[in-house]
Amino acid sequence: MGIKNRNTKKSNKDSVSEIKVSPSTKTLEETAIPEDKYAHLYVDRFDFITEMLCTDRLIQVFIIFMTCHLFYIQTYSDSNSIVSNNSSWAMIFNSLISFLCCLAIFIKQGSVVWTLENFDSQFFNLLYLYIIPMGLSFYFLPTEYLALTGTLVLNSLPISAHLRIPLMGIFMIFQMPDYVPDYYNVRFMFFKSILINYVFEKFLTIISGYRKSLSIVETNFFSILLTYITYVLDFPDSIPFQILQKSLYAILTVNIIQSIWVLFNKFVFNNNKGEGVVYKLIGYSLSVSAFPFFLYYYLNNLPGFFSNNNKNPFAWLVLFLTETDQRLSIISMWGIAVASSIPLLTSYVYEGTISLNFSRKYWHFLILLIIALPWKVDSVLIKTSLAGVIPLFLLLESIRYCNFFPDWIALCLDKFGDHRDQRGPLLISYLYLIIGVSLPILIDNDITGLIVLGLGDSVASIIGKKYGKKMWADSNTENKKTYEGTFAFIVSCSVFDVIIKWYYAGAPLDIEYFQTLDLKQLAFSVANFAVAGLLEGNATLNDNILLPSYTMVLRKLLC
């Protein structure tokens, strides 16, 4: 079987056996009671059932089954056959069965060896890799894209590429519905998508230090997302989408230029560590000059809003930003808020006046306010700005990754990283935050992700660290999420949701909103935030990716 014995975690085991006991106080058994919930961590044999029965995983399994049940209730009627009359159900069902069967075969052959360290990333979190992309495809894309999404999920299977890619192609042939207009061209595009998705997944795996910074779920999730944005989808009249898509093209082009410069220095000048003023200066100059150049080129020449309407992208941007006084006021507010926060927080962190956790959560609060408040008066500006900010953050990280920044800037960025940023070469926290906040807004004008990350996650962290006593997780000792933090998450999000809806309905004195408040919708919102809070407290997948995407799917189920 693929489930094999794991090595004992000696440091943890020794910590239990080496507890010093005073005869006048407690016995050894009494002293070890707090470690009982982690007893399964210190045995020699890895047991699948024991790991699945951990409290945090049971809660997640319950949430997943509840989500599936809600989906069943919403979409299925007894008079319909799943396979013959409902192609969406057929593709979802077939994708899940195929994925589980393939995974079971490779486990049986020993291709997957589960240990305590990789159980979540190699198995449990794969459930989210299936549910989230399939849910988003079901609600926001035409039916045939379910076949493509279900196929791309198979790229996470633990087999070599020369076997995995043909397997995905065969699966695509059987999954593709035959009623799709222009069937053969669409199928050929989907086959090319498989190869593009593989390239993206390989690229993310390499730059993350071979899955040190990004897990297998994260590399596959982002490769699916990039495949759809850069190749599969095309919304020529959507300005935010065109900006995001062409900006990603420009970022990828910049990455190629950066790689050439790094390799040139490595092999010609033997500069393996990326040191020297000339190296940094030229690399930085190439990056910051190439990005706007190629962005302008792609917007102006590739099919889309700007080329179709013969508009100069940069001239359009200036006119767009200065179109109204209200828009100029919003931009000025953003500039002042960000410009004043960066030096203030940086100095406080260096001096030790405030904790790193508070300084990081401050950005969550700030992004909540600078998006939620102007959203009422100019949502177009918000969406367009977010579409442009995501690539800018990616450009910033690529420059840092290649060591083009001066040392003091790189050190400043490193100061705001958490333990997940220390696992590999990428700083993922700020990237995940902006991506997690932006995608629900860009996809469905949904600010739920903004609320759960900007407010809920921050309040849970601060309250949990200060007042938390009871821990959720018993599958590992690193998850320090508490009951108190989860309760604060749910309450703060629910209260803010009511307040912001009141504000959007006609603030500041719209008392009628509270008189006509829909209690059913309020209950659904609280339920959505409760699920998000439980996932935040128990899931090991990154909150900034899991919570916005899952709540976006769940909101559709509860509508």
Side-chain angles (χ1 to χ4, degrees), residues 456-492:
D457 183 55
S458 305
V459 171
S461 178
I462 294 172
I463 297 298
K465 288 182 181 296
K466 189 173 182 62
Y467 302 105
K469 302 296 182 184
K470 180 69 173 176
M471 304 290 181
W472 273 112
D474 55 4
S475 66
N476 65 78
T477 58
E478 296 180 359
N479 190 343
K480 303 299 183 182
K481 308 295 179 65
T482 63
Y483 288 16
E484 294 83 357
T486 299
F487 180 76
F489 180 108
I490 298 170
V491 172
S492 61

Side-chain angles (χ1 to χ4, degrees), residues 213-466:
S213 296
L214 305 175
S215 67
I216 184 174
V217 174
E218 292 165 336
T219 55
N220 279 276
F221 178 81
F222 285 121
S223 64
I224 293 173
L225 192 63
L226 287 170
T227 302
Y228 269 106
I229 294 175
T230 60
Y231 179 70
V232 178
L233 301 178
D234 186 23
F235 302 105
D237 296 326
S238 172
I239 295 176
F241 179 82
Q242 289 298 313
I243 291 175
L244 178 60
Q245 184 187 63
K246 303 308 187 294
S247 296
L248 290 175
Y249 291 165
I251 286 292
L252 293 173
T253 307
V254 170
N255 291 157
I256 295 174
I257 295 173
Q258 290 171 333
S259 301
I260 293 173
W261 175 243
V262 171
L263 293 175
F264 177 79
N265 276 267
K266 180 178 180 179
F267 292 109
V268 175
F269 299 112
N270 199 27
N271 187 3
N272 295 324
K273 296 183 179 180
E275 298 175 341
V277 176
V278 175
Y279 167 82
K280 294 177 182 290
L281 182 61
I282 295 179
Y284 179 81
S285 301
L286 286 172
S287 301
V288 298
S289 59
F291 176 74
F293 174 81
F294 284 105
L295 175 59
Y296 177 85
Y297 175 82
Y298 292 138
L299 285 172
N300 203 43
N301 292 278
L302 295 182
F305 172 81
F306 296 96
S307 60
N308 295 344
N309 294 279
N310 295 319
K311 291 183 178 294
N312 183 296
F314 290 161
W316 175 90
L317 178 62
V318 173
L319 292 174
F320 174 78
L321 296 178
T322 59
E323 186 175 357
T324 64
D325 292 339
Q326 192 174 57
R327 188 165 289 175
L328 286 172
S329 300
I330 294 172
I331 296 171
S332 300
M333 179 195 71
W334 289 347
I336 293 172
V338 174
S340 60
S341 298
I342 291 176
L344 188 64
L345 283 179
T346 302
S347 63
Y348 281 156
V349 170
Y350 271 99
E351 294 172 2
T353 308
I354 59 176
S355 67
L356 175 61
N357 182 63
F358 179 82
S359 66
R360 296 179 67 253
K361 298 308 176 185
Y362 171 86
W363 293 109
H364 288 240
F365 287 126
L366 182 63
I367 200 171
L368 171 69
L369 294 178
I370 65 177
I371 292 178
L373 295 181
W375 176 258
K376 175 186 176 181
V377 296
D378 201 340
S379 60
V380 175
L381 174 64
I382 303 295
K383 295 178 67 174
T384 305
S385 301
L386 289 175
V389 166
I390 293 175
L392 289 179
F393 274 59
L394 294 175
L395 177 64
L396 177 69
E397 177 58 19
S398 69
I399 295 174
R400 190 209 63 83
Y401 180 87
C402 295
N403 198 26
F404 294 156
F405 277 133
D407 293 339
W408 66 273
I409 296 181
L411 182 62
C412 179
L413 291 173
D414 291 339
K415 271 286 186 179
F416 289 94
D418 64 3
H419 67 280
R420 288 171 294 196
D421 296 312
Q422 298 170 0
R423 294 181 307 192
L426 295 176
L427 287 180
I428 61 175
S429 295
Y430 69 101
L431 292 176
Y432 276 21
L433 175 60
I434 193 64
I435 292 172
V437 165
S438 302
L439 287 182
I441 294 176
L442 294 174
I443 293 174
D444 195 37
N445 295 323
D446 183 8
I447 66 167
T448 305
L450 175 65
I451 296 174
V452 297
L453 294 184
L455 182 66
D457 183 55
S458 305
V459 171
S461 178
I462 294 172
I463 297 298
K465 288 182 181 296
K466 189 173 182 62

Side-chain angles (χ1 to χ4, degrees), residues 505-523:
L509 296 174
D510 189 4
I511 307 301
E512 183 181 354
Y513 170 77
F514 291 102
Q515 296 173 347
T516 60
L517 187 63
D518 190 337
L519 295 180
K520 180 180 178 181
Q521 290 300 320
L522 178 61

